[in-house]
Amino acid sequence: MAKTSAEQMRDWQGPALFSFGFRPFFLFAALWVALAMLLWLPALSGAITLPTRFGAVSWHAHEFLFGYLGAVLAGFLLTAVPNWTGRLPMVGWRLAALFALWVAGRVAVLVSDHLPVAVAPVIDLAFPLVLGGLILREIVAGRNWRNLIVLALLAVFTLANGIFHLEALTGSYAAQGFGLRLGLATGIMMIAVIGGRIIPSFTRNWLAKENDPARPAPPMQRLDKLVLLASILILVLWVLRPFEPLTGALLLAFGGLHLVRQVRWQPFHTLREPMLWVLHAAYLFVPLGAFALGLDQIMGHPGTAGAQHLWMAGAIGLMTLAVMTRASLGHTGQALTANRATVAIYLCLFGAVLARFWASLHLGLTHLSGALWLAAFLGFVLAYGPSLLRPKPEK
């Protein structure tokens, strides 16, 4: 008789960290993005020089978008795909080896100035390529064709990472380059697709439990599909022609479409539950970022970092943190309730996003944003690390 997922995890006699995919990748994604901030702030001021071939800003952008988000995607997919396909999850030394490949990529990019030119890109890109191959195998074996879109987005994300490396190595300013825009656009589409599934579903379940008569629109209705199709077209135009007035106008339309989509999910009925309102707040940064980018281009000062950070730190940062806290609680046998520490983590990251958005007005806000960012992600490590490092309690 084939083993169940629970039996396979119980049979694993090694560290609990490698008993499920979300454990190592969520914990060390948060730890890495905090450590990267600790390195970047003094590098930005010139106090230290990082041993990377990237410039300080490009390294910072790469390690958040491709390093951190790549790890969170791995943790999410390695946890979700077994539920999608009905197949066993990856556990044990195979999971440890995949995790080690991600770690090797972070180290290689950081010390790339001391390595042959091709070494760091090859090591860094090996991780998403191996991850994609594993996910493809599971989807094909489980005949779970509806989730091929997630694999396609992962493939584009990996391509964007490769382009980012190429731009950085050829002297381009990769932090504002084609590769970063393609990777960021792909991350936003992942939120639109995956968030569009989980946010209304989680909201519906909670409202029913609370006997609230309000109900969100079901996921992936005709309007949702039209919004996603329009989003792909507009984001492609932004990636290819980011500074055109037409692109700015369409980004405003993009923001309006996503606001209409989100209002149908009853966000104002979730304010009593932090684990739900944080998901809605994170999704709200998708239209807010589009509005900011679109207005910047229409008003004649495109490419400002503050507007772009509403997508990067706001939509991606807050959404990933919301998913990590929720999944960590649920999969370690704890109640899906946000305690004071979790609420503080959410508020710190929200403050970091707002401070970074206004940082162009005062340099001190960049350091305030960095401090709040550190508080959020080190807070996650301290609050959730113990449960991620120990076995799930038996019922």
Side-chain angles (χ1 to χ4, degrees):
M1 181 181 295
K3 292 182 179 180
T4 65
S5 296
E7 289 171 338
Q8 187 185 35
M9 286 182 280
R10 282 197 298 267
D11 289 346
W12 165 243
Q13 298 300 311
L17 184 67
F18 300 118
S19 63
F20 217 141
F22 71 93
R23 291 176 179 267
F25 286 109
F26 286 179
L27 178 59
F28 282 88
L31 190 60
W32 173 244
V33 84
L35 176 60
M37 182 62 72
L38 281 172
L39 291 173
W40 181 66
L41 287 175
L44 183 65
S45 64
I48 65 172
T49 300
L50 299 176
T52 176
R53 291 183 187 274
F54 294 172
V57 176
S58 293
W59 177 81
H60 166 70
H62 181 273
E63 288 308 293
F64 171 74
L65 185 59
F66 298 109
Y68 165 76
L69 181 56
V72 176
L73 286 173
F76 173 79
L77 290 173
L78 292 172
T79 305
V81 167
N83 292 329
W84 296 346
T85 63
R87 289 170 55 80
L88 293 176
M90 177 187 290
V91 303
W93 296 121
R94 290 198 312 157
L95 176 58
L98 183 64
F99 171 68
L101 191 58
W102 174 78
V103 173
R106 310 285 57 76
V107 174
V109 172
L110 179 60
V111 302
S112 57
D113 202 29
H114 300 294
L115 299 173
V117 172
V119 171
V122 168
I123 295 175
D124 185 40
L125 291 169
F127 169 71
L129 289 172
V130 171
L131 174 65
L134 293 171
I135 300 303
L136 175 61
R137 183 192 66 184
E138 295 303 299
I139 287 178
V140 171
R143 304 180 68 81
N144 185 248
W145 311 120
R146 69 186 293 263
N147 284 307
L148 279 174
I149 184 175
V150 177
L151 185 64
L153 289 170
L154 178 61
V156 176
F157 188 70
T158 305
L159 174 64
N161 190 2
I163 294 172
F164 191 105
H165 276 284
L166 182 62
E167 289 177 327
L169 293 177
T170 55
S172 299
Y173 185 46
Q176 289 289 339
F178 182 89
L180 181 125
R181 290 196 303 276
L182 182 60
L184 178 54
T186 307
I188 294 300
M189 279 306 303
M190 289 178 181
I191 291 174
V193 172
I194 299 172
R197 294 178 184 176
I198 65 174
I199 295 174
S201 296
F202 292 161
T203 301
R204 174 178 291 275
N205 293 342
W206 183 79
L207 291 174
K209 180 182 176 182
E210 294 292 305
N211 295 317
D212 190 316
R215 291 292 183 273
M220 295 303 165
Q221 299 298 296
R222 180 176 296 177
L223 175 63
D224 298 277
K225 295 175 181 177
L226 290 174
V227 170
L228 292 178
L229 178 59
S231 297
I232 292 173
L233 298 175
I234 294 170
L235 287 173
V236 167
L237 182 61
W238 176 68
V239 170
L240 296 175
R241 305 293 295 271
F243 307 128
E244 297 290 334
L246 175 61
T247 303
L250 288 175
L251 282 170
L252 297 182
F254 176 102
L257 288 171
H258 281 272
L259 273 182
V260 170
R261 185 189 192 204
Q262 186 175 10
V263 166
R264 298 163 60 248
W265 298 340
Q266 305 293 343
F268 298 111
H269 287 261
T270 66
L271 299 180
R272 302 191 311 276
E273 177 48 64
M275 302 216 69
L276 277 177
W277 65 245
V278 71
L279 289 168
H280 287 276
Y283 196 92
L284 182 60
F285 279 111
V286 173
L288 290 181
F291 288 145
L293 284 168
L295 287 173
D296 271 0
Q297 291 167 23
I298 290 172
M299 295 172 65
H301 43 87
T304 58
Q308 191 166 281
H309 274 76
L310 289 180
W311 270 355
M312 291 189 72
I316 294 177
L318 193 57
M319 183 63 77
T320 52
L321 192 62
V323 169
M324 289 195 297
T325 52
R326 187 181 186 93
S328 296
L329 289 174
H331 289 285
T332 57
Q334 302 175 72
L336 291 176
T337 302
N339 58 20
R340 290 181 179 177
T342 300
V343 174
I345 289 168
Y346 295 157
L347 293 178
C348 282
L349 189 53
F350 191 78
V353 175
L354 295 183
R356 184 61 188 85
F357 178 70
W358 295 109
S360 59
L361 301 179
H362 193 286
L363 183 61
L365 289 176
T366 299
H367 292 86
L368 174 61
S369 175
L372 290 170
W373 181 273
L374 284 169
F377 285 99
L378 289 179
F380 175 86
V381 171
L382 293 174
Y384 288 82
S387 62
L388 293 172
L389 289 170
R390 62 173 177 252
K392 183 178 179 180
E394 297 288 342
K395 292 183 179 180

